[in-house]
Amino acid sequence: MMSVVDTTASHSTKATPELSSVVIPLLKGVLYQEDNPGLWSSLLILQASVRDYVAVLGLDLMLDEAEGYAFLRSRQNDDEDGQAVMPRLVARRQLSYPVSLLLALLRKKLAEFDAGGGDTRLILSRDEVMELIRIFLPAGSNEAKLIDQVDATLNKIAELGFIRRLRGQGQMVEVRRIIKAFVDAQWLADFEQRLAEYRQQARGPGGDEDG
């Protein structure tokens, strides 16, 4: 569960070099504790000022201390009354079906992994990822084409910051825990219904049971 920490302590939103050194990386993407412990410590100290500073830009600081990541999210701006809304600083991305499907499968895999206890890092091989998605593809899919498709989808998901490829370990990827902040339980539950439909489509007409 995401724990968004706030503070009411006295703070300043004046743009200081220290504040800029934290805000600028956040504007560029996700900040991970393990990638930059020093910057993470600065964020924890300055988080109240960071929240106020980015609020001016229509952004919220999403900070999960337990999982060790932080990012900026655009505030919801309803335009139901026809009033002008603040332009979005962070672009909203429309995900393709393969990316959405694999994100949901990886999120589900992470939930199962966490339920089993033990290690905190979910690491999968490309072959394991292919097995996750294979059931949703038509029977007899070309294997070489499938590998290319999975690699392309993994590259896109890595670009979005939800996985990272492990250096020197071939096709191994680590599922980053920030995926929990974007694929929540409700989203996953809705997607489960769609997955059942996709499975049915993959089996083809009259493919409920074979034999």
Side-chain angles (χ1 to χ4, degrees), residues 152-189:
T153 305
L154 285 175
N155 287 338
K156 182 62 180 177
I157 292 176
E159 180 184 315
L160 294 171
F162 295 118
I163 64 168
R164 68 175 174 182
R165 294 189 179 277
L166 302 185
R167 291 181 181 176
Q169 297 188 44
Q171 300 298 330
M172 306 299 287
V173 299
E174 178 182 357
V175 180
R176 311 203 79 168
R177 307 190 71 80
I178 194 173
I179 197 172
K180 296 169 64 176
F182 288 87
V183 186
D184 60 21
Q186 182 59 52
W187 194 94
L188 199 58

Side-chain angles (χ1 to χ4, degrees), residues 1-2 30 32 64 67 69-71 73 95 99-111 113-114 122 124 132 154 157-158 160-164 174-185 187-188:
M1 175 183 296
M2 169 165 284
V30 179
Y32 291 99
D64 192 323
E67 300 288 6
Y69 60 77
F71 61 95
R73 172 176 284 173
L95 302 180
V99 172
S100 297
L101 172 62
L102 193 49
L103 276 176
L105 294 173
L106 292 175
R107 174 66 179 89
K108 183 178 180 183
K109 191 72 176 177
L110 183 61
F113 177 78
D114 286 345
L122 173 58
L124 300 172
L132 288 177
L154 285 175
I157 292 176
L160 294 171
F162 295 118
I163 64 168
R164 68 175 174 182
E174 178 182 357
V175 180
R176 311 203 79 168
R177 307 190 71 80
I178 194 173
I179 197 172
K180 296 169 64 176
F182 288 87
V183 186
D184 60 21
W187 194 94
L188 199 58

Side-chain angles (χ1 to χ4, degrees), residues 124-144:
L124 300 172
S125 67
R126 183 178 64 186
D127 288 344
E128 289 174 314
V129 174
M130 288 177 60
E131 290 308 310
L132 288 177
I133 203 170
R134 190 186 298 277
I135 190 175
F136 299 99
L137 300 176
S141 296
N142 182 281
E143 192 71 10

Side-chain angles (χ1 to χ4, degrees), residues 56-70:
V56 177
L57 303 174
L59 302 172
D60 285 324
L61 171 65
M62 312 304 290
L63 171 64
D64 192 323
E65 288 192 56
E67 300 288 6
Y69 60 77

